Amino acid sequence: MTTTRHFLTLMDFSKDELQQLLTSAIEMKKDFKAGKIYEPLKNMTLAMIFEKSSTRTRVSFEAGMNQLGGHAMFLSSRDTQLGRGEPIEDSARVISSMVDIVMIRTFGHTIVENFAAHSNVPVINALTDDFHPCQLLADMMTYVEHRGSIQGKVVTYVGDGNNMCHSWMNAAKQFGFHLNMACPKGYEPDTKLSAELSEYVSLFHDINDAVKDVDLITTDVWASMGQEDEQKIREKAFKGFKVDDAVMALAKKDALFMHCLPAHREEEVSTSVIDGKQSVVWDEAENRLHAQKALLVALVKGLV
Ligand code: CP
Ligand code: NVA
């Protein structure tokens, strides 16, 4: 019996499989730019379930599926029975009986785990409160394109110990780099995950200590989707955790700056940094398309 493979966190794929995905994403990007048509998913359907807002994730999955010859179906929980309380298990059985692959953006991580457990087709986590693995595929691809392998490098994540931080932690293990995490007190990442990955991650409460001589600095919003009510409290707590020119100057001269976007200029990052020479944020965004095309093909065609 073959079991259906899912992509709920970076830990669902082996290190080799992740490297293979990056290689194939870089190749697909080159071919796409050269105008080559590649339609391995002709007549296939991706169901995209969104319980939270999105620009990059929706556009990249929908455009990507079309470019691969298939079709993407946008399902907002507001307009489906999911929003009226139909159980996840029932929804998973029904939706997966009609499509070839499912992508979900939701709140609790157990929702995607539960959906995947009852799905006959591969399920991709397109962001939960705990993880955002698709973003990391694009980010790892972007690093490789600019600087080559990330193995052995040191990366600093600045800010909230949130879904992005957790996925950077997983990436440290899977792609072989060390992750410094500079978080305000009370906003540290999950303690269980930190303990499991203690070999690959270090926690700091002073941003200056965390960024010295590192190869890459990344950050994220202070209040994530669903935390809008905490904006004011968080602005106080995160004071001193803005990535600005002084922070970038402590890293290596050729250090890159990444942000998954959307960004709040002059909050978690200065305008001069995000719009400056070391920033690769537009490449990260574009690479969502190419990395996820590689992921879709790998999962649907059973290449992983
Ligand atoms: N980075 C990211 O996932 O962006 P969206 O919320 O716009 O999809
Ligand atoms: N941490 C952010 C990431 C957005 C892509 C959020 O969850 O809102």
Side-chain angles (χ1 to χ4, degrees), residues 204-245:
F204 296 81
H205 288 113
D206 182 330
I207 186 170
N208 295 327
D209 295 340
V211 296
K212 273 194 195 95
D213 296 326
V214 301
D215 300 280
L216 164 65
I217 296 180
T218 184
T219 188
D220 187 15
V221 291
W222 292 343
S224 286
M225 289 182 275
Q227 298 171 334
E228 289 78 5
D229 292 353
E230 297 174 35
Q231 178 68 29
K232 287 283 160 240
I233 297 177
R234 283 171 174 262
E235 277 173 24
K236 280 204 191 97
F238 285 76
K239 211 165 171 278
F241 285 81
K242 173 170 154 186
V243 179
D244 57 15
D245 291 318

Side-chain angles (χ1 to χ4, degrees), residues 50 52-60 105 126-127 132 134-135 164 220 225 259-262 285 288 292:
F50 281 95
K52 288 179 176 172
S53 304
S54 167
T55 297
R56 280 143 289 269
T57 304
R58 178 176 177 184
V59 175
S60 54
R105 167 168 286 198
L127 182 146
H132 193 7
C134 291
Q135 183 67 50
M164 279 304 303
D220 187 15
M225 289 182 275
H259 191 310
C260 64
L261 306 178
R288 293 292 302 278
Q292 288 158 201

